[in-house]
Amino acid sequence: MLSGSGHNFTPLPEILFGRSYLEIKHAATAGGDEEGGGSGAGPGQSTSSTIDFCLRFNTTGALISWARRHVDGAGGTPLRVVTVPEASRWAAGNLAVGLKQVRYDWVFGTDYEGELFSNVQGGEMEGDPCDTCMDERESARVGVEWESADASVIDRELLSDRRQPILFYDDITLYEDELHDHGMVLLNAKIRVMPTCWFVLLRYFLRVDRVLIRVEDTRYFHRLGQEWVGKERSRKELTFAQLGKAGLPMETSEYRDVSKVAMMLECAGTPATVVHSRLVLSGAPS
């Protein structure tokens, strides 16, 4: 990114859905029942019991996570700026007329996994669900900790069981951008509720034409009646040169369908980096 003197601004994604959100609430009721929350399509059902935990996804939190990567020592993944072939030539011409180059993640990469709250009395979350409480995250997470686990946290056999009807489904886009006609970036959350479980996929998809494709997924899974919630974080990135070596198409037009591209990357070359963890629900036996 180039900036002239007296102008200090950071562009945001071209398309923002600032009023979109997804919430999953687990209510610690006296009878052990569980109650779900809502999505951007409507408010979640209220409950008079204590909320054991609330998992929230929104645009504000994702963008704060992206912005923090520009600050040294702020935590998270260090900022690595992706460049296109035209960048050096374009920058050289603009630097010659007095503009200065600044560090800027123009592909809007984010470590965002959602926000976790615990021990909410009265069954109601305070504030706007489209806002974020990331600065208060540590105090909100008292008594709620993710622990290391194995791949069994996601029951893929159950999720692929076509005999299980889908009771609720939503696809919630948080932001997207065409990257100045150099590709596309998309961050969205999908939720599926079945009679026996619920599943959430938060996906960051990046395609920089002729440079690379990146897919970062955070999956959450809970089987109703189970004592924990599973989380799986995965990251896969391939350059277009690597795609060609794997026998995959080199034309960017082949990489527009996000779900299809994610499956293509699964079958190509280097395995994804995957981390599994689980959250034991309050009151569950240790």
Side-chain angles (χ1 to χ4, degrees), residues 99-112:
L99 295 178
K100 61 180 180 180
Q101 193 163 11
V102 297
R103 191 177 59 163
Y104 166 60
D105 181 17
W106 64 289
V107 300
F108 305 104
T110 177
D111 296 323
Y112 189 64

Side-chain angles (χ1 to χ4, degrees), residues 38-216:
S39 72
Q45 294 181 346
S46 62
T47 172
S48 58
S49 59
T50 299
I51 293 178
D52 183 19
F53 80 89
C54 176
L55 186 60
R56 175 188 293 173
F57 306 87
N58 61 34
T59 306
T60 305
L63 289 177
I64 288 177
S65 178
W66 161 74
R68 283 180 172 173
R69 300 177 68 198
H70 295 77
V71 181
D72 292 333
T77 305
L79 179 61
R80 179 170 66 91
V81 178
V82 179
T83 59
V84 295
E86 297 86 351
S88 57
R89 183 173 63 253
W90 181 80
N94 284 276
L95 289 171
V97 296
L99 295 178
K100 61 180 180 180
Q101 193 163 11
V102 297
R103 191 177 59 163
Y104 166 60
D105 181 17
W106 64 289
V107 300
F108 305 104
T110 177
D111 296 323
Y112 189 64
E113 297 182 356
E115 298 169 51
L116 185 66
F117 307 88
S118 67
N119 302 324
V120 181
Q121 299 296 325
E124 290 293 340
M125 294 291 298
E126 294 183 1
D128 189 334
C130 298
D131 289 339
T132 181
C133 295
M134 292 185 70
D135 291 337
E136 303 168 7
R137 177 167 48 187
E138 292 306 318
S139 61
R141 287 183 53 193
V142 173
V144 178
E145 292 294 338
W146 292 97
E147 59 183 41
S148 180
D150 57 31
S152 65
V153 297
I154 307 289
D155 190 337
R156 286 177 164 78
E157 183 176 350
L158 179 59
L159 289 173
S160 61
D161 185 355
R162 295 184 178 274
R163 295 170 299 178
Q164 293 277 333
I166 297 176
L167 305 178
F168 178 76
Y169 173 84
D170 207 350
D171 185 344
I172 304 153
T173 299
L174 301 180
Y175 64 73
E176 59 182 293
D177 196 295
E178 292 186 353
L179 303 177
H180 310 285
D181 295 326
H182 285 291
M184 69 170 291
V185 63
L186 173 70
L187 181 68
N188 71 335
K190 295 181 180 180
I191 179 171
R192 189 200 323 173
V193 179
M194 300 158 70
T196 56
C197 64
W198 57 258
F199 173 74
V200 172
L201 169 62
L202 178 69
R203 169 167 286 169
Y204 169 85
F205 173 81
L206 171 68
R207 188 195 77 236
V208 181
D209 295 343
R210 296 173 292 149
V211 179
L212 61 84
I213 293 178
R214 180 188 304 163
V215 177
E216 296 186 42

